[in-house]
Amino acid sequence: MNNIHKLYKQLYKTYGSQGWWPIMGYGYHKNDYSFPRDKNEIFEVCLGSILTQNTTFTSVVKSLQNLQNIGCLSVDTIEAMNEDKLKRAIKPSGYFNQKARYILEFIKFYKSLDGGIPTREELLEVKGIGEETADSILLYGYNRLEFKVDAYTKRVFTHFALVDEKAKYSDIKYLVQDSLKECIKDETELLHTYQEFHALIVEHSKRYYSKKPYGRGCFIKL
DNA sequence: AGCCAGGCTACCG
DNA sequence: CGGTAGCATGGC
């Protein structure tokens, strides 16, 4: 068992199943890996992945709630929306001018898929979708084996010297994927581990890696 | 009051 | 290529 897997095990033992991705009207689904269940929920994950860029998820929930309240929480309804109305609805998540454009750009791409599964390369060509958002969509929307790295992940990994300060997104992503693949041979279990690991890192980091000095109070031992 | 949040693009050297 | 300003609201 390598240090990455050790970290995962300790986090899971501490916090348990996180049940990401949360879906509107259902919330988290701990120990239930049947999500997303349909195309609407897949799209909701994509939407949430864009809205949550550099923002807390509670703000994203407000935006999604706003959309739901005006009956616009679906691909076609958002596509048909007046852009200013869309901006008003997603205002709580911040960067609403950019994000409104990103969402509309993504919808064009999403419809061109015609129900198909996007590749990572295709997603990265869409304006507003960088590596983390692409992996978020793939991991939680399409159940693909693409680990999602975020600022917290880098912070925690740096704390434990699993990577150095100048590690790039891909360095961390493939370190995690390679490390977990060594220990977990079953693909379904591996997928759920990717999904839970990222969520667990966020849960742990909100407590111990949000304000400086990062890692104060962190009880994990590798 | 100031810092941080489940980042990305554009533009710089 | 790496580094950074700008984007914006909300919570603590």
mmCIF file of all heavy atoms in Angstrom, chain A residues 20-21 54 128 133 152 155, chain B residues 4-10:
data_model
loop_
_atom_site.group_PDB
_atom_site.id
_atom_site.type_symbol
_atom_site.label_atom_id
_atom_site.label_comp_id
_atom_site.label_asym_id
_atom_site.label_seq_id
_atom_site.Cartn_x
_atom_site.Cartn_y
_atom_site.Cartn_z
ATOM 1 N N TRP A 20 -20.544 12.059 -3.520
ATOM 2 C CA TRP A 20 -20.537 13.032 -4.617
ATOM 3 C C TRP A 20 -20.902 12.347 -5.918
ATOM 4 O O TRP A 20 -20.594 11.183 -6.099
ATOM 5 C CB TRP A 20 -19.138 13.621 -4.759
ATOM 6 C CG TRP A 20 -18.858 14.708 -3.783
ATOM 7 C CD1 TRP A 20 -19.368 14.851 -2.522
ATOM 8 C CD2 TRP A 20 -17.947 15.804 -3.976
ATOM 9 N NE1 TRP A 20 -18.837 15.977 -1.924
ATOM 10 C CE2 TRP A 20 -17.963 16.572 -2.794
ATOM 11 C CE3 TRP A 20 -17.126 16.200 -5.030
ATOM 12 C CZ2 TRP A 20 -17.181 17.710 -2.641
ATOM 13 C CZ3 TRP A 20 -16.359 17.321 -4.869
ATOM 14 C CH2 TRP A 20 -16.391 18.074 -3.690
ATOM 15 N N TRP A 21 -21.526 13.011 -6.842
ATOM 16 C CA TRP A 21 -21.841 14.415 -6.912
ATOM 17 C C TRP A 21 -23.234 14.665 -6.365
ATOM 18 O O TRP A 21 -24.140 13.914 -6.688
ATOM 19 C CB TRP A 21 -21.753 14.850 -8.394
ATOM 20 C CG TRP A 21 -21.840 16.312 -8.645
ATOM 21 C CD1 TRP A 21 -22.976 17.039 -8.762
ATOM 22 C CD2 TRP A 21 -20.755 17.212 -8.830
ATOM 23 N NE1 TRP A 21 -22.670 18.362 -9.006
ATOM 24 C CE2 TRP A 21 -21.300 18.494 -9.048
ATOM 25 C CE3 TRP A 21 -19.384 17.067 -8.805
ATOM 26 C CZ2 TRP A 21 -20.519 19.612 -9.271
ATOM 27 C CZ3 TRP A 21 -18.610 18.178 -9.025
ATOM 28 C CH2 TRP A 21 -19.177 19.440 -9.255
ATOM 29 N N ASN A 54 -13.782 28.074 -8.648
ATOM 30 C CA ASN A 54 -13.324 29.066 -7.670
ATOM 31 C C ASN A 54 -14.451 29.611 -6.796
ATOM 32 O O ASN A 54 -14.517 30.799 -6.512
ATOM 33 C CB ASN A 54 -12.610 30.227 -8.386
ATOM 34 C CG ASN A 54 -11.629 30.936 -7.481
ATOM 35 O OD1 ASN A 54 -10.998 30.324 -6.628
ATOM 36 N ND2 ASN A 54 -11.493 32.234 -7.646
ATOM 37 N N GLY A 128 -13.828 27.817 -21.439
ATOM 38 C CA GLY A 128 -14.327 27.825 -20.069
ATOM 39 C C GLY A 128 -14.135 26.495 -19.361
ATOM 40 O O GLY A 128 -14.386 26.391 -18.170
ATOM 41 N N THR A 133 -12.261 21.178 -14.532
ATOM 42 C CA THR A 133 -13.674 21.092 -14.904
ATOM 43 C C THR A 133 -13.920 19.898 -15.823
ATOM 44 O O THR A 133 -14.924 19.190 -15.677
ATOM 45 C CB THR A 133 -14.124 22.398 -15.582
ATOM 46 O OG1 THR A 133 -13.765 23.506 -14.747
ATOM 47 C CG2 THR A 133 -15.616 22.403 -15.812
ATOM 48 N N TYR A 152 -7.084 22.245 -3.245
ATOM 49 C CA TYR A 152 -6.928 21.528 -1.976
ATOM 50 C C TYR A 152 -6.012 20.309 -2.142
ATOM 51 O O TYR A 152 -5.187 20.023 -1.276
ATOM 52 C CB TYR A 152 -8.281 21.028 -1.474
ATOM 53 C CG TYR A 152 -9.166 22.073 -0.846
ATOM 54 C CD1 TYR A 152 -10.547 21.987 -0.975
ATOM 55 C CD2 TYR A 152 -8.653 23.111 -0.084
ATOM 56 C CE1 TYR A 152 -11.389 22.905 -0.381
ATOM 57 C CE2 TYR A 152 -9.487 24.042 0.509
ATOM 58 C CZ TYR A 152 -10.850 23.932 0.361
ATOM 59 O OH TYR A 152 -11.687 24.844 0.959
ATOM 60 N N ARG A 155 -2.535 21.318 -2.155
ATOM 61 C CA ARG A 155 -2.147 21.817 -0.835
ATOM 62 C C ARG A 155 -1.839 20.650 0.112
ATOM 63 O O ARG A 155 -0.834 20.647 0.816
ATOM 64 C CB ARG A 155 -3.300 22.660 -0.290
ATOM 65 C CG ARG A 155 -2.884 23.785 0.589
ATOM 66 C CD ARG A 155 -4.083 24.658 0.940
ATOM 67 N NE ARG A 155 -4.376 25.678 -0.051
ATOM 68 C CZ ARG A 155 -5.412 26.497 0.020
ATOM 69 N NH1 ARG A 155 -6.260 26.414 1.042
ATOM 70 N NH2 ARG A 155 -5.612 27.407 -0.906
ATOM 71 P P DC B 4 -5.860 33.828 2.182
ATOM 72 O OP1 DC B 4 -4.888 33.023 2.939
ATOM 73 O OP2 DC B 4 -5.453 34.606 0.989
ATOM 74 O "O5'" DC B 4 -7.054 32.867 1.744
ATOM 75 C "C5'" DC B 4 -7.809 32.214 2.752
ATOM 76 C "C4'" DC B 4 -9.118 31.757 2.155
ATOM 77 O "O4'" DC B 4 -9.966 32.902 1.956
ATOM 78 C "C3'" DC B 4 -8.966 31.077 0.785
ATOM 79 O "O3'" DC B 4 -9.408 29.732 0.885
ATOM 80 C "C2'" DC B 4 -9.831 31.906 -0.150
ATOM 81 C "C1'" DC B 4 -10.764 32.630 0.817
ATOM 82 N N1 DC B 4 -11.289 33.908 0.276
ATOM 83 C C2 DC B 4 -12.670 34.099 0.240
ATOM 84 O O2 DC B 4 -13.424 33.211 0.664
ATOM 85 N N3 DC B 4 -13.160 35.247 -0.261
ATOM 86 C C4 DC B 4 -12.317 36.186 -0.717
ATOM 87 N N4 DC B 4 -12.852 37.306 -1.203
ATOM 88 C C5 DC B 4 -10.908 36.015 -0.686
ATOM 89 C C6 DC B 4 -10.434 34.866 -0.180
ATOM 90 P P DA B 5 -9.201 28.682 -0.306
ATOM 91 O OP1 DA B 5 -8.745 27.433 0.310
ATOM 92 O OP2 DA B 5 -8.445 29.301 -1.404
ATOM 93 O "O5'" DA B 5 -10.697 28.451 -0.810
ATOM 94 C "C5'" DA B 5 -11.701 28.117 0.122
ATOM 95 C "C4'" DA B 5 -13.067 28.262 -0.518
ATOM 96 O "O4'" DA B 5 -13.307 29.647 -0.833
ATOM 97 C "C3'" DA B 5 -13.255 27.485 -1.825
ATOM 98 O "O3'" DA B 5 -14.549 26.899 -1.825
ATOM 99 C "C2'" DA B 5 -13.143 28.567 -2.894
ATOM 100 C "C1'" DA B 5 -13.732 29.759 -2.183
ATOM 101 N N9 DA B 5 -13.251 31.068 -2.648
ATOM 102 C C8 DA B 5 -11.959 31.467 -2.845
ATOM 103 N N7 DA B 5 -11.848 32.710 -3.235
ATOM 104 C C5 DA B 5 -13.155 33.155 -3.297
ATOM 105 C C6 DA B 5 -13.726 34.386 -3.644
ATOM 106 N N6 DA B 5 -13.011 35.447 -4.011
ATOM 107 N N1 DA B 5 -15.070 34.494 -3.595
ATOM 108 C C2 DA B 5 -15.786 33.431 -3.217
ATOM 109 N N3 DA B 5 -15.366 32.222 -2.873
ATOM 110 C C4 DA B 5 -14.030 32.157 -2.934
ATOM 111 P P DG B 6 -14.800 25.365 -1.417
ATOM 112 O OP1 DG B 6 -16.237 25.139 -1.469
ATOM 113 O OP2 DG B 6 -14.014 25.094 -0.187
ATOM 114 O "O5'" DG B 6 -14.165 24.503 -2.598
ATOM 115 C "C5'" DG B 6 -13.181 24.983 -3.481
ATOM 116 C "C4'" DG B 6 -12.882 24.000 -4.586
ATOM 117 O "O4'" DG B 6 -13.341 22.675 -4.309
ATOM 118 C "C3'" DG B 6 -13.515 24.405 -5.906
ATOM 119 O "O3'" DG B 6 -12.578 24.194 -6.952
ATOM 120 C "C2'" DG B 6 -14.747 23.554 -6.053
ATOM 121 C "C1'" DG B 6 -14.394 22.316 -5.203
ATOM 122 N N9 DG B 6 -15.549 21.905 -4.394
ATOM 123 C C8 DG B 6 -15.852 22.300 -3.132
ATOM 124 N N7 DG B 6 -16.965 21.796 -2.682
ATOM 125 C C5 DG B 6 -17.420 20.999 -3.709
ATOM 126 C C6 DG B 6 -18.572 20.202 -3.798
ATOM 127 O O6 DG B 6 -19.452 20.038 -2.960
ATOM 128 N N1 DG B 6 -18.664 19.547 -5.024
ATOM 129 C C2 DG B 6 -17.728 19.668 -6.038
ATOM 130 N N2 DG B 6 -17.976 18.985 -7.151
ATOM 131 N N3 DG B 6 -16.639 20.418 -5.972
ATOM 132 C C4 DG B 6 -16.550 21.051 -4.784
ATOM 133 P P DG B 7 -11.655 25.564 -7.109
ATOM 134 O OP1 DG B 7 -10.264 25.247 -6.814
ATOM 135 O OP2 DG B 7 -12.266 26.705 -6.425
ATOM 136 O "O5'" DG B 7 -11.823 25.805 -8.667
ATOM 137 C "C5'" DG B 7 -10.809 25.368 -9.589
ATOM 138 C "C4'" DG B 7 -11.252 25.802 -10.954
ATOM 139 O "O4'" DG B 7 -11.441 27.222 -10.908
ATOM 140 C "C3'" DG B 7 -10.253 25.529 -12.067
ATOM 141 O "O3'" DG B 7 -10.993 25.171 -13.224
ATOM 142 C "C2'" DG B 7 -9.509 26.840 -12.233
ATOM 143 C "C1'" DG B 7 -10.569 27.861 -11.831
ATOM 144 N N9 DG B 7 -10.002 29.030 -11.163
ATOM 145 C C8 DG B 7 -9.060 29.055 -10.175
ATOM 146 N N7 DG B 7 -8.764 30.256 -9.767
ATOM 147 C C5 DG B 7 -9.553 31.086 -10.544
ATOM 148 C C6 DG B 7 -9.670 32.495 -10.565
ATOM 149 O O6 DG B 7 -9.072 33.329 -9.866
ATOM 150 N N1 DG B 7 -10.600 32.927 -11.511
ATOM 151 C C2 DG B 7 -11.324 32.093 -12.320
ATOM 152 N N2 DG B 7 -12.187 32.673 -13.153
ATOM 153 N N3 DG B 7 -11.237 30.774 -12.311
ATOM 154 C C4 DG B 7 -10.328 30.342 -11.407
ATOM 155 P P DC B 8 -10.172 24.841 -14.586
ATOM 156 O OP1 DC B 8 -10.932 23.799 -15.292
ATOM 157 O OP2 DC B 8 -8.755 24.630 -14.282
ATOM 158 O "O5'" DC B 8 -10.311 26.194 -15.402
ATOM 159 C "C5'" DC B 8 -11.613 26.601 -15.832
ATOM 160 C "C4'" DC B 8 -11.500 27.835 -16.694
ATOM 161 O "O4'" DC B 8 -11.123 28.938 -15.854
ATOM 162 C "C3'" DC B 8 -10.445 27.702 -17.780
ATOM 163 O "O3'" DC B 8 -10.989 27.945 -19.055
ATOM 164 C "C2'" DC B 8 -9.388 28.727 -17.399
ATOM 165 C "C1'" DC B 8 -10.109 29.680 -16.485
ATOM 166 N N1 DC B 8 -9.232 30.234 -15.431
ATOM 167 C C2 DC B 8 -9.147 31.624 -15.270
ATOM 168 O O2 DC B 8 -9.813 32.359 -16.009
ATOM 169 N N3 DC B 8 -8.338 32.126 -14.320
ATOM 170 C C4 DC B 8 -7.638 31.302 -13.536
ATOM 171 N N4 DC B 8 -6.855 31.841 -12.604
ATOM 172 C C5 DC B 8 -7.709 29.891 -13.676
ATOM 173 C C6 DC B 8 -8.513 29.402 -14.633
ATOM 174 P P DT B 9 -10.107 27.935 -20.365
ATOM 175 O OP1 DT B 9 -10.907 27.323 -21.420
ATOM 176 O OP2 DT B 9 -8.788 27.404 -20.017
ATOM 177 O "O5'" DT B 9 -9.929 29.484 -20.693
ATOM 178 C "C5'" DT B 9 -11.052 30.344 -20.634
ATOM 179 C "C4'" DT B 9 -10.603 31.774 -20.866
ATOM 180 O "O4'" DT B 9 -9.897 32.275 -19.712
ATOM 181 C "C3'" DT B 9 -9.670 31.955 -22.057
ATOM 182 O "O3'" DT B 9 -10.140 33.068 -22.793
ATOM 183 C "C2'" DT B 9 -8.305 32.217 -21.421
ATOM 184 C "C1'" DT B 9 -8.682 32.871 -20.107
ATOM 185 N N1 DT B 9 -7.736 32.668 -18.974
ATOM 186 C C2 DT B 9 -7.357 33.755 -18.210
ATOM 187 O O2 DT B 9 -7.740 34.887 -18.426
ATOM 188 N N3 DT B 9 -6.499 33.464 -17.175
ATOM 189 C C4 DT B 9 -5.998 32.220 -16.843
ATOM 190 O O4 DT B 9 -5.237 32.075 -15.892
ATOM 191 C C5 DT B 9 -6.431 31.133 -17.680
ATOM 192 C C7 DT B 9 -5.947 29.746 -17.398
ATOM 193 C C6 DT B 9 -7.268 31.402 -18.694
ATOM 194 P P DA B 10 -9.469 33.466 -24.170
ATOM 195 O OP1 DA B 10 -10.558 33.975 -25.019
ATOM 196 O OP2 DA B 10 -8.607 32.359 -24.625
ATOM 197 O "O5'" DA B 10 -8.530 34.690 -23.768
ATOM 198 C "C5'" DA B 10 -9.059 35.749 -22.990
ATOM 199 C "C4'" DA B 10 -7.976 36.794 -22.725
ATOM 200 O "O4'" DA B 10 -7.152 36.369 -21.621
ATOM 201 C "C3'" DA B 10 -7.028 37.026 -23.903
ATOM 202 O "O3'" DA B 10 -6.743 38.417 -23.990
ATOM 203 C "C2'" DA B 10 -5.798 36.208 -23.538
ATOM 204 C "C1'" DA B 10 -5.788 36.309 -22.011
ATOM 205 N N9 DA B 10 -5.199 35.147 -21.336
ATOM 206 C C8 DA B 10 -5.251 33.835 -21.720
ATOM 207 N N7 DA B 10 -4.631 33.020 -20.901
ATOM 208 C C5 DA B 10 -4.150 33.847 -19.906
ATOM 209 C C6 DA B 10 -3.400 33.600 -18.746
ATOM 210 N N6 DA B 10 -2.993 32.384 -18.373
ATOM 211 N N1 DA B 10 -3.078 34.647 -17.959
ATOM 212 C C2 DA B 10 -3.480 35.862 -18.329
ATOM 213 N N3 DA B 10 -4.192 36.227 -19.407
ATOM 214 C C4 DA B 10 -4.489 35.159 -20.159
#
